[in-house]
Amino acid sequence: MPILSKDARIIWRRRIQGFWEEFSRKKIGILGLIMLFVFIFMAIFAPWLTPYDPLAQQRVADGFAMPQWVTVFPQFQNLTNTESVWFDWSKTTESPYIIGYGRNVTVTYEPKATETFRIKFESIYTYKAPVPPNSFYLDFSWTAGNVENMEYSINLYVINPRTEKSFLLYYKTNTTPAGENSHVDSIDPILMYRLGLSPGVDILGNIVFPDKGDYRFVLEMFFKPTNPSARCDINVREGQLTVLGTAHGILGTDNAGADLWSQLVWGARVSLMIGLIAALLSTTIGITVGVVTGYLGGIVDEAMMRVVDILLCLPILPLLLSLVFLFGKNIFYIILFVAIFGWQGLSRIVRSQVLSLRESSFIECATASGASKTYIMTKHLVPNVLPVAFASLILAVPSAILFEASLSFLGFGDPRAPTWGKILQMGFGFGGFSHLAWWWIIPPGLCITLLCLAFVFMGHAIDDVVNPRLRRRR
Amino acid sequence: MRGYLVKRIIVSLIILWIIASLNFVIFQVVSPVSPEESILPPGGGDDASMREARAILRRLYGLDEPIYIRYAKYVQNMFTWNFGTSFRSMKSVSGEMSWRMSNSILLLGLAEIATILVGIPIGIFAASRRGTKIDVATIGAGLLTWGVPTFFIQLLALLVFAYYSYVWFGFSLFPTRGIYSIPPPADPVGFVADVAWHLALPVGSLVLAGFGSWALYTRSILLETLTQDYIVTARAKGLDERTVLYRHAFRATLPPIVTVVALAVPGVVTGAMITEYLFNLPGIGQWYLTALLSADYPVVQSVLFIYAMLTIFANLFADIIYGVLDPRIRVGQGSGR
């Protein structure tokens, strides 16, 4: 059975058509609607608009990399892009023990004598940018198999073509289990200390790649049998060098080098979800409380209005903070708490409307023809207060969004939800200001503002339509 | 009037008591972190010394007593301004409350007064020129304040006036943190100037974020008043527009405006938590945040209590002042709200 009868559906269709005709004449409302559609588009198509996972903190460029498009200005022309290359190892000497080389290197050493053996592979990386990079990292994985009576070591170093100076980036001797997925990072303080540099002062990228040229990466293996029947296979795979750029994408990167555009776009989804669900919940509570108290009156009314009085006296933001702190930083708790503290104003407005509707003749008529209280409340009172509630719903969305943004900004947001407030919090707490990272601070704040304004504009227009006489706003 | 007043005061005290009780329930009954755990270092283990330390702390803070005695003592302490000892600083909460409160009141009082002094004249000005560009701009500013988060305005202000100005001019136009320089200037004039310099950005940004809604509110009330019959009469008498606006219309808008001023006070106090956090001003909002993060429950409870008290008494004050200013409701209805 459909929820609405055929007549009711026709009435509702006419009402909505009439509303739309009025609404479409308000320029500010249409502007708000267009802004809202942009954000809805962002929220729906977030996976296709963004290349990176917003929460993975994947290092796609140098920390505080500027947006790509600033390179059109002359003073930023020296910004570089992130460059990733595969190592292509070539052999430096001929040896029967080399099974394969290229992207995957395999060496099988089976000497039948206690003879040490050293072998080198080389891969050339041409650094082309006019300024040295700040940071780089390499990834590769290696395994040693069939190790019998053998001590081995594996080293990786880079040689500067001009000064012939070399930097030992990686070395390992017999490990258990034999092999690992290695990640060598230029910001690793242990690596810096080992090279005689001070972390935080020296910039390894600058020192290793000081200028343009063909840098030789050398992969060296060293075998030392302890017994004539020794054997060892070493396999080095998938070596990749990433030199991090100082310009990246549409909105640059944060302190950890993660893409900010991805975080921003995914933030639209969370903010819209929080705003809409919390507003719907609080409006539902507000309508229910208003209709029930207004229609039933008596002790229910008195009790609920005292509850409203108490809720109006609560300091909402501090209380939200402590509730989130106590119950856990979970997005659904945040929505619930924001909704619980957001219905008092509406319930009073609805109650006062119901108080006057209660005396009107159509309700009297319904009561006389034997309609139950539930029937009158759901079929007569609720539909009549819906227009007011709708305007209030639209205006409740920005306040919910702002509450969530404030919570996130103060560090009480859900750590698993990428929100605009969290981006701002990170920007404020992790050096966005001292690095003058406007691309980190301004976009999320602007997005919060524009999304809230979209709803405020629409609410303003809707309020004009549904309450033409009521010019005063709260 | 007196009977109504007494009733209102009693109701206010009851609400305050309910909120204090809620506070107790939240932090001492359902809280997942027990007080002694929040004092001791986390992951302390369960050996004999830790058990002894816990026992000592329970005794020290009276946690070994049954819950109803704790509750009775708690309520008594709250209403006698005895907020106990902070878990973190081991100092009296009431003592720290007073100097932090004075900082907050300085910041927020200045901000509130400045916002009203900017907002209300703009509202009157807009109402007197209804439909002009000035009026439209006022409505726009009012709507903007609904959408722009205050902390975003403050972040922008910090970025431009404190950080970018350092790049552009070689020095920061305004400081980024604190309420006075360290060490503070010795002479009193210098000290006042120093505090003003530190408060310029936070107060300025609060005014920028808040004046629009005041202007909008004043404008709408004034416009409503201007349609009243006695204004028509005043104009018909041939009084000049200025007299009509200020003598007749504006005076009638005072009761609702004063009420809203009183009602806005608690909102400003709690809302300024983020301002204090951002500019690192040692007010009660910033205190609340740091206390909450370190589970310093005596401080958290007391600040929430103070906030609730402020709201309740601002409500009460608004009711009384409305009765005083508006002779029509002096008879003592108003319980119907």
Side-chain angles (χ1 to χ4, degrees), chain A residues 28 310 313 315 318 321-322 325-326 402 406 410 412 424 428 433 436 438 442 445-446 448-449 452-453 456 472, chain B residues 18 26-27 32 144 147-149 151-152 155 159 163-164 167 224 270 273 277-278 288-289 292-293 307 311-312:
Chain A
I28 199 164
I310 293 174
C313 287
L321 290 173
S322 49
F325 179 75
L326 293 176
L402 284 182
S406 309
L410 292 172
F412 288 80
L424 282 174
F428 182 65
F433 281 88
L436 298 174
W438 49 265
I442 294 178
L446 214 56
I448 299 174
T449 307
C452 289
L453 280 183
V456 170
R472 189 161 87 197
Chain B
I18 292 174
I26 290 174
F27 291 104
L144 272 176
V148 187
F151 62 83
F152 180 49
L155 284 172
L159 193 64
Y163 288 91
Y164 264 106
V167 175
E224 223 167 67
T270 57
M273 178 177 278
Y277 164 77
L278 257 173
Y288 179 82
L289 271 176
L292 192 57
L293 286 173
Y307 278 156
T311 321
I312 290 166

Side-chain angles (χ1 to χ4, degrees), chain A residues 115-312:
Chain A
E115 184 186 352
T116 59
F117 174 60
R118 181 193 298 268
I119 189 154
K120 284 183 190 175
F121 295 89
E122 266 188 16
S123 176
I124 304 287
Y125 167 66
T126 311
Y127 187 69
K128 296 183 270 304
V131 285
N134 292 326
S135 48
F136 62 90
Y137 60 83
L138 4 143
D139 286 300
F140 59 96
S141 53
W142 65 273
T143 44
N146 305 323
V147 184
E148 283 164 28
N149 307 319
M150 185 75 85
E151 283 172 14
Y152 60 85
S153 71
I154 171 165
N155 307 330
L156 201 151
Y157 53 89
V158 55
I159 301 172
N160 186 317
R162 199 160 46 78
T163 60
E164 290 295 320
K165 202 174 167 195
S166 69
F167 297 91
L168 180 61
L169 298 176
Y170 182 82
Y171 75 93
K172 273 278 148 69
T173 52
N174 292 43
T175 57
T176 333
E180 65 174 0
N181 291 327
S182 317
H183 177 78
V184 181
D185 204 315
S186 68
I187 55 170
D188 178 11
I190 298 171
L191 175 66
M192 301 275 280
Y193 281 127
R194 196 158 51 67
L195 294 173
L197 304 167
S198 331
V201 180
D202 295 314
I203 298 166
L204 190 56
N206 276 338
I207 294 165
V208 172
F209 301 106
D211 36 39
K212 295 181 192 179
D214 292 341
Y215 289 84
R216 271 153 55 217
F217 278 82
V218 180
L219 175 69
E220 187 184 56
M221 294 171 204
F222 188 70
F223 299 91
K224 186 181 168 208
T226 52
N227 188 307
S229 64
R231 183 198 160 107
C232 179
D233 305 344
I234 290 190
N235 177 239
V236 180
R237 294 175 306 275
E238 308 289 314
Q240 195 178 25
L241 167 73
T242 306
V243 179
L244 294 164
T246 46
H248 172 82
I250 301 172
L251 279 181
T253 64
D254 62 11
N255 64 325
D259 184 38
L260 282 169
W261 168 249
S262 304
Q263 298 179 24
L264 192 81
V265 172
W266 281 86
R269 207 176 249 212
V270 184
S271 286
L272 269 175
M273 186 182 84
I274 290 172
L276 290 175
I277 298 179
L280 265 176
L281 270 178
S282 66
T283 309
T284 313
I285 303 175
I287 293 175
T288 314
V289 171
V291 168
V292 169
T293 56
Y295 184 64
L296 295 182
I299 185 89
V300 182
D301 183 30
E302 190 63 25
M304 280 318 286
M305 284 303 116
R306 290 294 84 78
V307 171
V308 169
D309 278 348
I310 293 174
L311 278 174
L312 284 172

Side-chain angles (χ1 to χ4, degrees), chain B residues 19-312:
Chain B
I19 289 174
S21 309
L22 276 178
N23 229 337
F24 180 82
V25 172
I26 290 174
F27 291 104
Q28 304 208 15
V29 183
V30 299
S31 158
V33 186
S34 70
E36 76 267 21
E37 292 298 332
S38 74
I39 304 170
L40 292 171
D46 200 38
D47 54 14
S49 64
M50 283 300 279
R51 274 201 296 275
E52 199 185 332
R54 278 195 199 106
I56 292 173
L57 284 170
R58 292 187 78 83
R59 210 160 43 242
L60 191 66
Y61 285 97
L63 297 167
D64 49 352
E65 285 170 292
I67 195 123
Y68 55 90
I69 293 185
R70 266 165 63 196
Y71 174 67
K73 277 192 178 166
Y74 164 82
V75 172
Q76 188 198 351
N77 286 341
M78 280 290 149
F79 282 89
T80 52
W81 211 259
N82 176 10
F83 297 131
T85 316
S86 160
F87 289 164
R88 288 286 141 184
S89 68
M90 297 292 165
K91 281 186 204 142
S92 148
V93 174
S94 344
E96 198 168 348
M97 176 82 78
S98 48
W99 72 265
R100 283 192 179 262
M101 196 72 163
S102 61
N103 286 343
S104 280
I105 288 174
L106 180 67
L107 164 73
L108 302 167
L110 279 177
E112 183 75 1
I113 292 169
T115 312
I116 290 166
L117 286 185
V118 173
I120 291 181
I122 291 180
I124 299 173
F125 194 67
S128 68
R129 282 163 184 71
R130 194 178 176 192
T132 60
K133 276 182 184 155
I134 295 163
D135 189 29
V136 174
T138 311
I139 299 175
L143 289 182
L144 272 176
T145 53
W146 272 69
V148 187
T150 311
F151 62 83
F152 180 49
I153 295 181
Q154 291 168 337
L155 284 172
L156 284 184
L158 263 180
L159 193 64
V160 173
F161 292 111
Y163 288 91
Y164 264 106
S165 78
Y166 189 81
V167 175
W168 293 332
F169 312 119
F171 61 92
S172 289
L173 284 178
F174 293 102
T176 58
R177 55 205 291 109
I179 200 157
Y180 47 74
S181 309
I182 296 172
D187 64 309
V189 178
F191 183 73
V192 170
D194 188 56
V195 170
W197 184 54
H198 278 76
L199 288 181
L201 270 194
V203 170
S205 54
L206 283 173
V207 171
L208 197 61
F211 86 93
S213 60
W214 282 108
L216 209 58
Y217 186 70
T218 312
R219 173 188 171 272
S220 63
I221 295 211
L222 198 57
L223 283 181
E224 223 167 67
T225 316
L226 284 172
T227 60
Q228 302 277 328
D229 289 344
Y230 72 93
I231 299 290
V232 180
T233 314
R235 282 192 179 136
K237 275 198 307 194
L239 294 178
D240 67 307
E241 193 57 33
R242 180 175 280 271
T243 319
V244 172
L245 197 62
Y246 292 100
R247 278 290 174 80
H248 292 73
F250 180 62
R251 188 172 278 191
T253 64
L254 270 179
I257 289 181
V258 171
T259 316
V260 174
V261 169
L263 288 179
V265 169
V268 170
V269 172
T270 57
M273 178 177 278
I274 300 182
T275 310
E276 290 177 358
Y277 164 77
L278 257 173
F279 291 94
N280 207 356
L281 300 170
I284 51 174
Q286 188 227 30
W287 194 32
Y288 179 82
L289 271 176
T290 47
L292 192 57
L293 286 173
S294 55
D296 192 350
Y297 293 147
V299 174
V300 174
Q301 279 176 350
S302 323
V303 175
L304 272 181
F305 183 76
I306 293 285
Y307 278 156
M309 204 172 76
L310 262 174
T311 321
I312 290 166

